[in-house]
Amino acid sequence: MDRCVVLVDAGYLLGAAASLLAGEPARSRITVDHTALIQGLRELAEVDTERPLLRIYWFDGAPDRVPQPEHRRMRVMPRVTVRLGALTRSDGRWAQKGVDAAMHAELTELARNRACSDVVLVTGDGDLLPGLMSAKEHGVAVHLWAVQAADGDYNQSEDLVAEADERRVLDRVWITKAVRAKDFSGNCAPPPAPRPEIAAILSAPLPESALAASQERAADEAARNGSRRTVPSVNGSDHGPDHGGHGSDHGSGHGSDHGSDHGSGHSDTGSAPATARGVPTPKDLASLRAPGQHATPPPASATLRWSSDRGWVERPGSNGSGPLGEPPETASLPTLAQLTSAEQRWADREEDITTVGGDPFEVGQVFARRWMERLPEQSHVQKLSTMYPRIPHRIDGELLRYAARFGLLAHKDDQIDEHDRYAIRAGFWREIDVRAAAEHAPAGE
């Protein structure tokens, strides 16, 4: 068949591009326009081989072979087939498993079946040498493409280079048509505007029932450890037993998950007292007040929210509360799943595959936009806006699960990526603020 096929080792192509543009082979250092990249490969292959393209095979690794956002988008591109190997971590580094074997099998099968006359290989691994030689024996012309090496030397196996029929180097000019180095000089997303509600949330004293439970847990813990722990206040004195026990149980104990990023994500802990890693006690707050200033009792509906191993926990005041201890104003907010029909769910998935890019800030915006568009009562938007920066834990859990579909929130270097969590929630709140501001704008503006 007088057609060409392109086999791409994505690990080699994007890793070499990252080395060339960003100085290190980490793919997290670059952004890739996969549509432009595939189109560039197709056009160049047809020019080099003087044959029409049959198909581009994209070989890549993924954790547990689960397609990542870019893989889902590429699978629906015309003339593109995605083949996934495993992505495993060994000695602190990520490594692909099974990609070379899959490329070898595809190459030999195409040649044996005479499915094409020319094969373009974008790889540097010498393990593919037997497959290359087998393709040549079946009368297939093999074109080997390399990415320009950052140090000016080869980044391919010499044996592979020697056996290829034709060779080409994809230089910096060609690469930068679809690949860019990331700029880490700024934030990943525009920070949300400051909101006065943060101070109220941080300074809310414990309800009596929660304070008593906190003291009891602190005493039990001290008894088990055989000593009483103390925590320094902001003015250097000690407050006796650690009434901020929630800080160890629900803050640092799960700091790499939902807890720490709710705080650091919106920078609402920066101005909090030292004990705010848990919840400040009334005594702690009193020490921060000016002489003669009296404590202002919290409203009857005030709630305290902190993180735990189960995510956000809503602790109501002494008045009535909703399901699972949620305050009525929070429990009345519907989740996106409750608002979404089967037809909408299918349309959402198609949009996620073909349109949503997987940027953390964008993911938060898309989720918020869908939630607001499907609300039966737009008053819910204003109600949620008053809860900033705390997203009710049912909706927040949905938001994070949605983000996980795009490969976000994954373990990177054995730590939860809190930077992504901040961007996800920042995008969510940006959409909420835009809608809330539009509803408050006077008519005619």
Side-chain angles (χ1 to χ4, degrees):
M1 288 282 187
D2 291 335
R3 297 177 295 188
C4 69
V5 170
V6 182
L7 305 182
V8 182
D9 179 348
Y12 165 76
L13 173 59
L14 300 182
S19 294
L20 178 64
L21 303 180
E24 57 180 284
R27 288 162 63 170
S28 60
R29 302 286 299 180
I30 57 175
T31 57
V32 183
D33 183 342
H34 291 88
T35 302
L37 182 57
I38 291 297
Q39 184 62 28
L41 290 170
R42 176 173 185 167
E43 292 174 355
L44 192 57
E46 291 181 338
V47 169
D48 263 17
T49 64
E50 299 180 349
R51 300 286 188 270
L53 177 75
L54 171 62
R55 192 173 297 115
I56 294 177
Y57 289 88
W58 185 268
F59 296 87
D60 203 1
D64 299 323
R65 290 185 167 86
V66 176
Q68 299 301 294
E70 65 269 22
H71 301 143
R72 294 199 298 269
R73 290 192 297 274
M74 295 179 73
R75 288 192 304 185
V76 297
M77 293 181 184
R79 303 280 180 157
V80 175
T81 296
V82 176
R83 297 277 190 261
L84 295 179
L87 192 63
T88 60
R89 191 171 180 84
S90 177
D91 298 328
R93 300 183 64 182
W94 291 101
Q96 295 181 158
K97 299 294 183 183
V99 171
D100 294 336
M103 288 188 71
H104 178 277
E106 200 71 57
L107 176 58
T108 54
E109 192 70 12
L110 288 167
R112 183 182 300 113
N113 293 330
R114 302 186 182 279
C116 58
S117 60
D118 295 74
V119 168
V120 175
L121 294 179
V122 187
T123 185
D125 199 330
D127 290 345
L128 210 59
L129 182 61
L132 184 153
M133 297 176 66
S134 175
K136 290 173 62 178
E137 291 172 357
H138 284 87
V140 174
V142 179
H143 304 249
L144 183 65
W145 290 359
V147 176
Q148 179 183 338
D151 55 7
D153 200 357
Y154 285 118
N155 53 13
Q156 288 179 308
S157 161
E158 291 187 14
D159 292 335
L160 208 61
V161 172
E163 284 292 334
D165 295 307
E166 302 286 346
R167 288 169 289 278
R168 170 182 282 275
V169 175
L170 305 175
D171 60 18
R172 181 187 295 267
V173 174
W174 190 92
I175 290 293
T176 51
K177 292 178 182 178
V179 183
R180 294 284 189 277
K182 285 184 179 178
D183 180 10
F184 288 90
S185 59
N187 292 329
C188 64
R195 302 278 291 261
E197 294 90 343
I198 297 177
I201 292 173
L202 292 176
S203 62
L206 281 167
E208 293 183 2
S209 58
L211 178 59
S214 172
Q215 293 171 336
E216 183 179 350
R217 280 192 294 271
D220 290 343
E221 183 178 348
R224 286 195 301 271
N225 295 337
S227 62
R228 298 177 65 84
R229 293 189 297 132
T230 61
V231 292
S233 70
V234 290
N235 60 9
S237 63
D238 290 340
H239 292 299
D242 181 5
H243 294 306
H246 300 291
S248 59
D249 293 341
H250 302 299
S252 61
H254 200 61
S256 63
D257 204 344
H258 301 289
S260 63
D261 58 280
H262 267 287
S264 61
H266 294 288
S267 302
D268 53 348
T269 58
S271 59
T275 53
R277 287 187 179 276
V279 180
T281 67
K283 185 176 180 180
D284 297 329
L285 295 171
S287 67
L288 298 177
R289 298 188 185 98
Q293 182 180 0
H294 299 288
T296 302
S301 60
T303 64
L304 283 176
R305 305 175 176 89
W306 56 79
S307 63
S308 75
D309 293 340
R310 297 179 303 279
W312 280 103
V313 176
E314 307 273 356
R315 296 299 173 95
S318 57
N319 62 335
S321 60
L324 300 177
E326 289 187 85
E329 66 272 16
T330 300
S332 65
L333 294 175
T335 63
L336 181 60
Q338 293 171 334
L339 300 170
T340 304
S341 66
E343 293 78 7
Q344 288 173 324
R345 191 172 294 110
W346 177 263
D348 289 348
R349 185 182 178 194
E350 289 298 305
E351 182 184 5
D352 291 342
I353 293 173
T354 59
T355 306
V356 182
D359 174 77
F361 190 78
E362 179 191 8
V363 166
Q365 288 180 300
V366 170
F367 182 93
R369 194 178 306 126
R370 290 175 182 169
W371 184 77
M372 290 187 292
E373 288 173 351
R374 296 167 191 173
L375 284 173
E377 301 177 18
Q378 291 305 310
S379 61
H380 288 312
V381 175
Q382 296 297 336
K383 186 180 298 183
L384 178 63
S385 182
T386 63
M387 298 177 186
Y388 181 92
R390 310 299 192 188
I391 304 175
H393 70 270
R394 291 180 302 120
I395 297 175
D396 188 56
E398 266 197 324
L399 172 61
L400 296 181
R401 287 192 295 274
Y402 173 65
R405 301 179 193 173
F406 296 88
L408 303 174
L409 316 180
H411 287 267
K412 298 178 181 177
D413 299 326
D414 296 329
Q415 293 183 355
I416 295 293
D417 194 334
E418 296 183 8
H419 196 62
D420 284 350
R421 292 175 182 270
Y422 165 77
I424 292 163
R425 294 186 176 106
F428 177 89
W429 280 118
R430 177 60 56 86
E431 285 297 306
I432 297 295
D433 284 345
V434 168
R435 176 65 66 87
E439 291 181 356
H440 271 102
E445 288 192 1

